[in-house]
Amino acid sequence: DWHPVFQNGYARYWERNAQPGENVFAGETVDLSVEVLSNQKVKIMLNKILSYVYPNICGFCNKIISTEYTCKNCQEKLKYMYESEKQLVSVNKYFDFLICAYKYKGIIRSKILQYKFKNKKYLYASLSERLIKLLDMYSNEIDIIVPVPIHFMRAFNRGYNQSFLIAKFIAKKMNKELKNNILKKVQNNKPQSMLTASKRKNNVCNAYKIIKTSAINGKTILLIDDIYTTGATVNECSKVLKENGARKI
């Protein structure tokens, strides 16, 4: 799996994160504007070399592609998996409406499980691509983007928060502020996937708390989670956000 792991590695990571005059490595930005990158040709040349060594590939079929993160063929095949773009929610929900990209079945389910449990975190881009297109029409309504947090022990064991990677990618593409320090999960409860629908609501009750209330007061928040089944997780997060001043979720 080394080859696909690098699809969003150096080549695409440089393209998405480095600005003129900057070198991005290991999450740190170092100013090299005078010493190295004053000439844009250097950046272009390095990007071409890295793209050749670690080419961008489709997250669904592993085919080498030049742009985006899902090949045209897979985009066509995935159309039957499209979910309703916007769903109004019932009165017993704390979030105002729900936007889903795909139905949770078939290859989408397989890829999400790989992304979440098999350390294939590079899949966040391919899984998020259609969602970004759906969210474009609501861009003016969104003030901040907040990922559903996971407990620090689970983050330590997994190595990453899958919802945060999606939220970070969407925030960058939409030019929105990402707030990863607002919601905190304070209970290391059982994974929702291990429970029946009737037990999921109680499992997440009081599992989240707000860290910075001032950052959400009067805000319209785009809350990002990777999977929506019963809605218990996002509803509990939305409840905490609304109780602490959020205007709309």
Side-chain angles (χ1 to χ4, degrees):
D1 287 331
W2 283 109
H3 178 71
V5 164
F6 281 106
Q7 75 136 329
N8 291 315
Y10 292 101
R12 307 309 295 177
Y13 189 76
W14 182 289
E15 179 183 336
R16 292 197 302 272
N17 293 278
Q19 301 297 321
E22 295 180 338
N23 178 32
V24 178
F25 182 75
E28 297 182 0
T29 302
V30 181
D31 186 2
L32 298 176
S33 55
V34 177
E35 294 85 349
V36 178
L37 294 179
S38 58
N39 189 341
Q40 284 287 8
K41 290 182 180 180
V42 175
K43 179 183 174 183
I44 294 171
M45 180 183 69
L46 288 175
N47 197 33
K48 286 183 177 180
I49 293 173
L50 292 171
S51 295
Y52 177 78
V53 177
Y54 304 116
N56 193 42
I57 67 171
C58 172
F60 293 98
C61 70
N62 290 344
K63 177 183 177 181
I64 295 176
I65 51 179
S66 58
T67 59
E68 299 185 325
Y69 307 91
T70 309
C71 71
K72 299 299 182 183
N73 188 41
C74 284
Q75 288 180 24
E76 286 298 316
K77 289 181 178 179
L78 289 170
K79 284 184 177 180
Y80 82 98
M81 300 286 291
Y82 284 2
E83 186 57 281
S84 301
E85 296 181 8
K86 180 176 178 181
Q87 302 174 2
L88 297 178
V89 298
S90 58
V91 292
N92 61 337
K93 301 294 185 184
Y94 286 90
F95 50 95
D96 299 276
F97 59 87
L98 171 71
I99 299 173
C100 297
Y102 299 104
K103 295 180 173 66
Y104 184 56
K105 63 180 183 179
I107 190 172
I108 294 297
R109 182 178 185 275
S110 175
K111 289 296 181 179
I112 288 179
L113 292 178
Q114 290 176 33
Y115 168 60
K116 194 169 182 176
F117 300 115
K118 300 296 183 180
N119 198 34
K120 296 187 182 290
K121 59 182 180 180
Y122 63 89
L123 288 170
Y124 70 87
S126 294
L127 292 169
S128 305
E129 198 165 23
R130 181 171 184 263
L131 188 56
I132 292 171
K133 295 176 182 177
L134 296 179
L135 289 168
D136 183 63
M137 68 178 70
Y138 308 107
S139 180
N140 292 335
E141 300 179 38
I142 299 169
D143 294 315
I144 57 175
I145 297 178
V146 176
V148 169
I150 59 177
H151 193 267
F152 76 91
M153 285 301 298
R154 194 164 299 170
F156 176 79
N157 292 330
R158 184 176 296 162
Y160 56 94
N161 175 3
Q162 70 283 352
S163 296
F164 167 73
L165 294 181
I166 294 173
K168 182 181 179 182
F169 183 66
I170 292 174
K172 186 172 183 67
K173 292 294 184 180
M174 297 184 68
N175 195 29
K176 294 293 181 179
E177 186 177 8
L178 176 68
K179 291 289 188 179
N180 192 39
N181 57 350
I182 289 177
L183 265 179
K184 181 179 180 180
K185 191 170 187 182
V186 293
Q187 295 180 15
N188 191 19
N189 51 353
K190 292 181 179 179
Q192 292 287 80
S193 58
M194 297 176 61
L195 301 174
T196 61
S198 60
K199 293 181 179 180
R200 292 186 178 191
K201 182 178 179 180
N202 290 334
N203 188 52
V204 294
C205 185
N206 299 320
Y208 302 92
K209 74 173 185 179
I210 295 293
I211 302 301
K212 293 183 178 181
T213 56
S214 59
I216 65 172
N217 190 36
K219 302 289 187 181
T220 294
I221 299 173
L222 174 62
L223 181 66
I224 299 290
D225 202 6
D226 57 334
I227 302 171
Y228 181 96
T229 49
T230 64
T233 298
V234 292
N235 197 49
E236 183 66 20
C237 289
S238 298
K239 175 185 176 183
V240 175
L241 290 167
K242 282 283 186 73
E243 288 176 346
N244 285 273
R247 184 176 72 86
K248 193 175 182 181
I249 310 293

